[in-house]
Amino acid sequence: MHDSLVDAARGVRARAHAPYSGFQVGAALESEDGEVYLGCNVENASYGLTVCAERSAISAAVAAGKKRFRRIVIATEAEQPTPPCGACRQVLAEFGPDLVVDSVTPTMVAHWTLRELLPSAFAHRPFA
Ligand code: THU
């Protein structure tokens, strides 16, 4: 089935700034109202300042006024589909545990919920 969120994640992956790792990542985040927000990893010569694709997409969405999300698609060209790193899981969890997290390579797809990827996430208050 054609999946435009997958196309969007693959498209933005090409814009990643990853000269140090060579590992380009694209993320496409769908808000509850059906809009799509894009992110890619942005590396830095001071390596620890790198921003992952997932957090970059969250920032774009929040800056556009969105805080409720349905699904994120992560696109890489790794051998296996890669889930978000631990830091990104916590940042995604800020907006609720029901987010669908899909990851694609050119030939494979993986599917999770954020609750599966980060059980017992830290939060100041319980999720509704
Ligand atoms: N990276 C992401 O953008 N998302 C992830 O979930 C994992 C890692 C980036 C960070 C760095 O630029 C490169 O991939 C290699 O770790």
Side-chain angles (χ1 to χ4, degrees):
M1 197 187 82
H2 182 73
D3 188 331
S4 59
L5 209 58
V6 169
D7 290 346
R10 287 184 172 141
V12 71
R13 178 185 169 276
R15 299 193 195 130
H17 178 69
Y20 306 106
S21 72
F23 190 74
Q24 293 186 296
V25 186
L29 177 66
E30 184 184 33
S31 55
E32 208 171 66
D33 60 0
E35 291 294 317
V36 176
Y37 299 92
L38 302 177
C40 58
N41 53 332
V42 182
E43 297 186 348
N44 188 271
S46 179
Y47 300 162
L49 299 182
T50 291
V51 179
C52 292
E54 297 89 329
R55 274 177 287 158
S56 162
I58 282 279
S59 296
V62 172
K66 305 299 169 65
K67 294 187 181 176
R68 297 171 74 91
F69 306 112
R70 283 185 195 148
R71 185 161 80 110
I72 189 167
V73 174
I74 300 153
T76 71
E77 292 195 356
E79 279 184 28
Q80 305 272 334
T82 55
C85 78
C88 287
R89 294 180 199 196
Q90 179 65 35
V91 170
L92 293 168
E94 179 72 15
F95 302 97
D98 295 321
L99 184 72
V100 171
V101 181
D102 291 335
S103 184
V104 300
T105 70
T107 57
M108 300 170 74
V109 178
H111 180 85
W112 302 276
T113 65
L114 191 59
R115 190 182 268 103
E116 290 174 313
L117 292 173
L118 190 63
S120 308
F122 173 75
H124 290 272
R125 54 189 163 67
F127 289 113

